[in-house]
Amino acid sequence: MAEGTIKKLTDKGFGFIDVGSDKDLFFHSNSVEGTSYDQLREGQQVTFNEGRGPKGPCAENVTVS
């Protein structure tokens, strides 16, 4: 599993993870496991699997580290 830091959360049910590269990785609230999207906070460390969405790479199985 990959690791990163939540960079941005939106009130529309998605966010972005800073993975240390030029592009942040998109994730949807449906991809969060073990907690609810509403309990996530910017700056939290998370682990995830990298997947492919309709618009490119995305994070799946996002869990708080």
Side-chain angles (χ1 to χ4, degrees):
M1 290 189 88
E3 296 183 354
T5 305
I6 296 176
K7 184 172 185 177
K8 178 150 180 71
L9 295 169
T10 71
D11 57 3
K12 295 181 177 165
F14 64 88
F16 296 91
I17 298 172
D18 180 356
V19 294
S21 66
D22 290 343
K23 292 207 169 207
D24 298 327
L25 203 56
F26 170 88
F27 74 98
H28 192 272
S29 60
N30 293 343
S31 300
V32 178
E33 296 185 355
T35 190
S36 73
Y37 177 82
D38 294 334
Q39 292 178 314
L40 297 177
R41 299 288 173 255
E42 292 176 4
Q44 276 184 312
Q45 292 289 117
V46 292
T47 58
F48 57 90
N49 294 322
E50 190 168 335
R52 290 279 279 170
K55 295 183 179 180
C58 65
E60 299 174 342
N61 306 319
V62 178
T63 56
V64 176
S65 301

